[in-house]
Amino acid sequence: MNEILKNSLRSGPDGRGRFGEFGGRFVAETLMPLILELETAYEAAKADPSFQAEIDYYLKHYVGRPSALWFAERLTRHLGGAKVYFKRDELNHTGAHKINNCIGQILLAKRMGKTRIIAETGAGQHGVATATVCALFGLPCTIYMGAVDVERQKPNVFRMKLLGAEIVPVKSGAGTLKDAMNDAMRDWVANVQDTFYIIGTAAGPHPYPAMVRDFQCVIGEETRWQLQEAEGRLPDVCIAAIGGGSNAIGLFHPFLDDASVRLVGVEAAGHGLDSGEHAASLSRGRPGVLHGNRTYLLQNDDGQILEAHSISAGLDYPGIGPEHSWLHDIGRVEYVSITDDEALAAFQLCTRTEGIIPALEPAHALAYVMKLAPTLPVDKIIVMNLCGRGDKDIFTVAEHLGFKL
Amino acid sequence: MSRIAGVFAYLRSQSRAALIPFVEAFDPDRDTSLALLTGMAANGADIIEIGVPFTDPMADGPIIQAAGRRALNAGASLRGVLGIVREFRKGNDKTPLVLMGYLNPILSYGVAAFAHDAAQAGVDGLIVVDLPTEEADLLLPDAAAHGLDFIRLIAPTTSDERLPKVLAGSSGFVYYVSITGITGTRTASADDLARDIPRIRRVTDLPIAVGFGVRTPEQAATVAKYADAAIVASVLIEKLTNSDVATVLADVAALASGIRHAVKAAA
């Protein structure tokens, strides 16, 4: 090991796919050769400038990037402290950051000659993004979605069907994202020859956490030059919501080596961290192995995985991407949590002060902005990732506010 | 010689293959599992595989998934599974027991403590589905230190080039996952086995067991023709769900008879 390592927090994962003790490749032997094949194919694609050029083309002309960096002036005045900017990834085609990753993975799938796509989805945003790129590239697509989520996210289910995807409602377990991921992996094991699994978050076996992160880093890279243009400097704080953590790692990663930039990930505290009904894997979980990686998990004393809870289906997951677990342990990123009620209040404030209906996921990030901004001087700058729009959530919100639609 | 090696040495002298039935521990309760273990040993099981319930069994089909859920609802835990093994060992010091499960309950227990306690309880071997050779150093040293056989899975997707790497450090037997898929779904054909088993034989002297999709005495006999053991799981769980312990044991006896009448293929 004479290799000289760069003194950077951005050089992970190591050759075994690990970020510190997290990550790795914990899959059955049937999948292991595929994971290795995927890693080789991804490394080759990364080294090929035409691959990145292709991604850039679709991000610009199809997704609509760069997404705007919006100075939320009325919100800033309302909170009476630091300046608040929104990185508006909710303006992307399909309404969330998920498409950034789907473009990258489907282009890789095509390079690898795969002819069938599968994916898991929770809120349906990743499912819609996957179904969208499959329609665009003419590939058949099967989406695994927990039966409970199929019920509570009907508009997205219909969108996916319109786009030509086959939806498989997963009834095992609690019928949510975790179970959908189990069944997607079972499908993959049974269809190893022709199928590419587009994982939606920066988790799963190596190389997924690194690959999804790379595809999402466009968020932080754009933020960097856009804020340079607007303010001539780096942000003081970057804030993003965390389920699996792909939108957050996409925003944070380009700033990891800028020690002056404080990075804050916001987990879903559901009914409260001590209620037993939350999705705060870092705050209340401990390291374990699930879905191919070692990471912080909600689990009982016997190592059985617990069901997560959040008002936001996209945060309703008992694990978190392994790079976040590492960033948590080394203290580079702070991880805080926000309850369902706080997120609902932020959802309404954003809608009324900025005229933007946010998804419930970034509403969690915004709720923390509401706590932090008033404590900071007016010359400080916060960038929050507004990673999805709230159209999909209006039924959930209406129910909580006592409206009948 | 370990219990597992002893059984295969004996069977080699008898020119026949082993029958390895599967019991999902605590499905539907502890006493039933104990009755099955004891009864299977008395009805022709040469080795018994015990499934350790886990909330997220990614390599398993609907039948074993459901069994795991029933078991967890009945209070199953890794500690509880070791308790069953200890109880079984009071009356049977002969039949090897292999635990099959997923990594997280073992990590949660503590790898070193688990290897120690499992060996003490009378466990002979471990199959950890989501621990590929790339991550095996997490468990292999402790398993070896306590004399537990470390049984590796080989899949149809495992290349010839990869085989020796996967089998490094393995002992007891080799578990050949005969199909690309989850448990209890498709079945490998005789032609598949005639092609696949010799491929593994070329790189190891360990006995080869075939699992995933072996359901009938005829299929078990086909497996016995090419391999050294047939593992039967989902069909027995299904039978237990629809009837009772006695019926499952009658099936085990029939499978054992199928194996005993199998004709070995020329090596």
Side-chain angles (χ1 to χ4, degrees), chain A residues 54-86:
Chain A
E54 223 182 341
I55 291 177
D56 291 345
Y57 172 83
Y58 285 99
L59 288 184
K60 180 175 177 189
H61 299 287
Y62 188 69
V63 175
R65 301 207 73 97
S67 68
L69 184 70
W70 169 246
F71 173 39
E73 199 173 352
R74 287 196 71 219
L75 181 73
T76 298
R77 267 209 306 278
H78 175 84
L79 297 177
K83 281 176 101 163
V84 179
Y85 279 85
F86 291 162

Side-chain angles (χ1 to χ4, degrees), chain A residues 7-60:
Chain A
N7 188 15
S8 167
L9 297 175
R10 303 189 64 196
S11 56
D14 66 16
R16 297 182 65 175
R18 293 189 183 179
F19 304 91
E21 64 172 298
F22 301 103
R25 294 177 280 222
F26 296 90
V27 295
E29 172 61 19
T30 312
L31 284 182
M32 202 55 219
L34 276 88
I35 296 282
L36 294 172
E37 180 199 354
L38 177 64
E39 184 184 348
T40 307
Y42 179 54
E43 288 305 320
K46 257 202 316 197
D48 177 355
S50 72
F51 181 64
Q52 188 57 49
E54 223 182 341
I55 291 177
D56 291 345
Y57 172 83
Y58 285 99
L59 288 184
K60 180 175 177 189

Side-chain angles (χ1 to χ4, degrees), chain A residues 16 18 25 30 182 186 289, chain B residues 56-57 104 108 134-135 157:
Chain A
R16 297 182 65 175
R18 293 189 183 179
R25 294 177 280 222
T30 312
N182 287 335
R186 291 180 184 120
V289 165
Chain B
D56 296 82
N104 202 52
S108 184
E134 279 75 5
E135 307 286 356
T157 50

Side-chain angles (χ1 to χ4, degrees), chain A residues 327-361:
Chain A
L327 292 167
H328 170 265
D329 275 16
I330 64 168
R332 175 62 186 97
V333 179
E334 295 163 54
Y335 293 89
V336 299
S337 64
I338 284 295
T339 64
D340 288 352
D341 289 344
E342 291 170 322
L344 274 169
F347 176 97
Q348 295 172 81
L349 180 71
C350 184
T351 305
R352 294 198 183 166
T353 57
E354 294 296 330
I356 299 171
I357 301 178
L360 283 169
E361 291 82 13

Side-chain angles (χ1 to χ4, degrees), chain A residues 193-276:
Chain A
Q193 295 309 327
D194 63 346
T195 298
F196 189 100
Y197 179 14
I198 299 189
I199 293 184
T201 193
H206 177 65
Y208 280 101
M211 182 167 72
V212 175
R213 173 201 69 200
D214 293 347
F215 293 145
Q216 292 294 358
C217 270
V218 65
I219 299 171
E221 284 154 9
E222 285 176 8
T223 299
R224 202 179 177 92
W225 66 255
Q226 286 172 319
L227 197 71
Q228 192 65 37
E229 253 178 35
E231 298 274 356
R233 66 182 189 87
L234 291 171
D236 297 293
V237 191
C238 290
I239 299 179
I242 309 243
S246 71
N247 92 80
I249 203 72
L251 176 64
F252 296 167
H253 201 262
F255 294 106
L256 285 181
D257 289 332
D258 298 290
S260 70
V261 182
R262 191 174 154 193
L263 304 170
V264 185
V266 183
E267 294 192 295
H271 296 319
L273 285 183
D274 297 317
S275 68

